[in-house]
Amino acid sequence: MSRAKNSLSERDVISIWHPFTPQLNVMPPVAIVRGDGALLFDEEGNSYIDAIASWWVNLHGHAQPYLAEKISAQLKNLEHVLFSGYTHEPAVLLAERLLGHLPYLNKVFYSDDGSTAVEVALKMAFQYWHNSDRPRIKVVAFENGYHGDTFGSMSVGARNVFSQAFDKMLFEVIHIPVPLKGCEEKSFLAMDNALQKDDVAAFIFEPLIQGAGGMVMYEAKALDVLIGKCKSKNVIAIADEVMTGFGRTGKMFATDYCVNKADIVCLSKGLTGGFLPMGTTVCTEKIHTAFLTFDKTKTFFHGHSYTANPIACTAALASLDLLEKNECWNAIENISSSMKNACEKFSKNKSVNEARSFGTILALEIKTPEATEYLNPLADRVHEFFPKHGIILRPLGNILYILPPYCITNDQLEKVFTTIETFLSNQN
Ligand SMILES: *Cc1c(COP(=O)(O)O)cnc(C)c1O
């Protein structure tokens, strides 16, 4: 085997098909061999600041010792058990802890990732109406939204280049405008129209910030109005907090900024601190009640082989231990104020159309000569420039954003800001 002599990144190209990666002329990926805090190290010993928390999952740093220890102890006790008819302590504890943070919700349903958490929420909502013998199958969602890559979650997301090959197979969704500041009325009106016939099952939304759609932000007041309209028509409100959960926006959950509460909340990404894949769909007693029946055909027939995996639950519990400490909230506050300051500074940069920040997230809309959609060639320039300067960043179209682990140091964050400034000054 001559292949084994080559580097990991060269061997990778021969046998692996990566997500979201065009397959012709692929650049060999960077092979990461170790992580420590906000840093990742490649097989040649170069270090990188993980400025996007490994796709928004990492909260407390890579190879975080406390999480590693807790997970390792659980591994020696119980790795997995089926979750129908059986349970275990990590699953029970985690459900109790999550409900403690979501006091208006009553039941936790476990799955594997963000897409399945959304898939479960949609199926729960549809079956709620089915079980109530008043079938409703319409869904309202925001334009420009992203809820995952499985068929149901794709259906409620935006129709774009990602969904193009599947558009004909996706179920119909009423897409309404995002209530951007100053354009709220357009969104409210579209919601009123959608709700006219009492046939909408659910409204699904990314609360206050649309992630994959380009870190698009809108205000809690507007979301309150929209959820309020749904409540008055008995439409189930589904908050997809997969990206916004666990402190990202400066509160535990983005919906904590709202007065009106969702009926179902989807969690994943930061749930396990970025250590293991897991999703949860948390719902109110009202939703659950539609499944409280002697009629077994009304059972929620959904589950995954690794549902409520004890190791993933343990990681989530350990992550919550750290997240519930003052230290972590001080870090979140510190990052948030750095982002705010940087936002003001970048607003004045002539290569930036708009800078916006919310909690620990900073997004810069870069002026580019090209169209602004996802396949913007800015990505190629970013992918070439930042790793060379020891930073991992991946833009969304012409949106360059920072979404760091909470353990990032001031110096590391400062380095990310100054490197972006250098990059922007080379832009035109
Ligand atoms: C990432 C994301 C998802 C999908 O989660 P996966 O774990 O990638 O399947 C769903 N909703 C939102 C808001 C997300 O950001």
Side-chain angles (χ1 to χ4, degrees):
M1 287 286 290
S2 61
R3 270 198 231 158
K5 285 190 206 137
N6 300 338
S7 67
L8 279 175
S9 70
E10 283 164 343
R11 283 161 58 200
D12 172 288
V13 174
I14 295 164
S15 50
I16 299 181
W17 185 347
H18 285 262
F20 305 111
T21 307
Q23 289 300 290
L24 189 64
N25 297 329
V26 296
M27 288 280 292
V30 180
I32 299 298
V33 294
R34 189 167 71 81
D36 182 4
L39 292 180
L40 291 166
F41 298 85
D42 74 13
E43 59 185 332
E44 284 160 0
N46 302 308
S47 74
Y48 305 86
I49 299 169
D50 187 355
I52 55 167
S54 283
W55 265 353
W56 324 346
V57 299
N58 195 289
L59 302 188
H60 313 292
H62 292 283
Q64 207 286 332
Y66 177 76
L67 269 103
E69 206 173 282
K70 288 284 184 179
I71 291 167
S72 143
Q74 178 61 39
L75 271 168
K76 289 170 195 153
N77 193 40
L78 176 68
E79 81 304 330
H80 189 64
V81 61
L82 73 164
F83 207 60
S84 279
Y86 297 85
T87 193
H88 49 81
E89 191 178 32
V92 174
L93 281 176
L94 180 58
E96 290 169 353
R97 291 270 289 276
L98 287 175
L99 291 174
H101 288 286
L102 293 159
Y104 56 98
L105 299 175
N106 300 82
K107 288 273 192 248
V108 175
F109 193 97
Y110 286 105
S111 66
D112 299 345
D113 50 54
S115 300
T116 54
V118 167
E119 210 70 42
V120 166
L122 292 168
K123 286 176 74 174
M124 250 180 207
F126 289 135
Q127 196 175 340
Y128 167 88
W129 290 107
H130 173 89
N131 283 4
S132 317
D133 296 322
R134 290 169 291 164
R136 291 188 182 189
I137 57 167
K138 282 195 184 161
V139 180
V140 174
F142 282 137
E143 289 165 359
N144 192 50
Y146 177 77
H147 297 284
D149 291 338
T150 53
F151 268 88
S153 60
M154 250 197 309
S155 292
V156 291
R159 301 292 187 274
N160 55 25
V161 60
F162 288 82
S163 67
Q164 198 173 298
F166 318 103
D167 278 353
K168 287 199 175 125
M169 290 159 262
L170 303 181
F171 60 75
E172 243 180 81
V173 168
I174 305 168
H175 285 106
I176 66 167
V178 184
L180 301 174
K181 207 175 163 86
C183 308
E184 289 91 346
E185 283 305 321
K186 217 168 74 179
S187 177
F188 298 163
L189 220 91
M191 179 62 95
D192 287 338
N193 284 336
L195 298 185
Q196 254 168 16
K197 284 201 193 123
D198 285 325
D199 58 355
V200 172
F203 165 44
I204 184 165
F205 52 89
E206 292 163 89
L208 309 193
I209 173 158
Q210 292 185 305
M215 302 295 161
V216 172
M217 300 168 189
Y218 63 96
E219 293 194 347
K221 274 185 297 189
L223 183 56
D224 263 326
V225 172
L226 291 169
I227 298 176
K229 289 178 186 294
C230 289
K231 297 253 168 211
S232 72
K233 293 277 192 172
N234 269 322
V235 171
I236 296 167
I238 303 173
D240 178 354
E241 291 252 19
V242 169
M243 189 276 279
T244 48
F246 304 103
R248 237 340 125 195
T249 65
K251 284 191 191 269
M252 192 63 167
F253 300 107
T255 42
D256 290 347
Y257 288 95
C258 291
V259 179
N260 286 330
K261 298 299 177 197
D263 303 283
I264 302 179
V265 174
C266 306
L267 304 172
S268 186
K269 291 209 166 107
L271 172 61
T272 62
F275 271 62
L276 286 153
M278 185 161 71
T280 62
T281 306
V282 193
C283 73
T284 56
E285 192 52 47
K286 179 184 138 175
I287 302 291
H288 181 246
T289 302
F291 298 82
L292 273 179
T293 160
F294 289 111
D295 183 351
K296 288 197 173 134
T297 66
K298 290 186 171 175
T299 305
F300 191 54
F301 292 111
H302 186 108
H304 301 281
S305 313
Y306 284 97
T307 291
N309 176 261
I311 304 160
C313 290
T314 301
L317 285 166
S319 176
L320 279 177
D321 288 346
L322 299 182
L323 195 58
E324 285 166 2
K325 288 203 161 99
N326 285 339
E327 251 175 281
C328 188
W329 289 97
N330 292 342
I332 288 171
E333 240 170 67
N334 178 44
I335 294 168
S336 301
S337 73
S338 299
M339 293 300 191
K340 223 180 207 165
N341 292 339
C343 183
E344 267 178 41
K345 217 164 139 199
F346 279 116
S347 301
K348 296 176 193 132
N349 192 303
K350 62 179 178 0
S351 305
V352 175
N353 260 337
E354 189 190 65
R356 44 184 186 260
S357 77
F358 185 30
T360 65
I361 303 169
L362 173 69
L364 309 174
E365 202 176 302
I366 310 297
K367 279 185 197 152
T368 60
E370 304 90 358
T372 58
E373 60 186 80
Y374 192 83
L375 303 177
N376 195 300
L378 174 74
D380 295 335
R381 300 198 286 273
V382 168
H383 296 164
E384 174 157 1
F385 182 87
F386 285 94
K388 267 196 219 149
H389 290 80
I391 293 171
I392 297 177
L393 280 179
R394 291 180 70 94
L396 301 156
N398 66 327
I399 310 292
L400 194 58
Y401 68 93
I402 314 173
L403 190 157
Y406 305 148
C407 67
I408 195 167
T409 65
N410 285 333
D411 287 349
Q412 288 167 337
L413 200 51
E414 213 42 57
K415 182 180 167 184
V416 177
F417 293 147
T418 52
T419 310
I420 291 178
E421 274 167 22
T422 310
F423 174 76
L424 291 178
S425 64
N426 296 343
Q427 271 289 287
N428 22 33

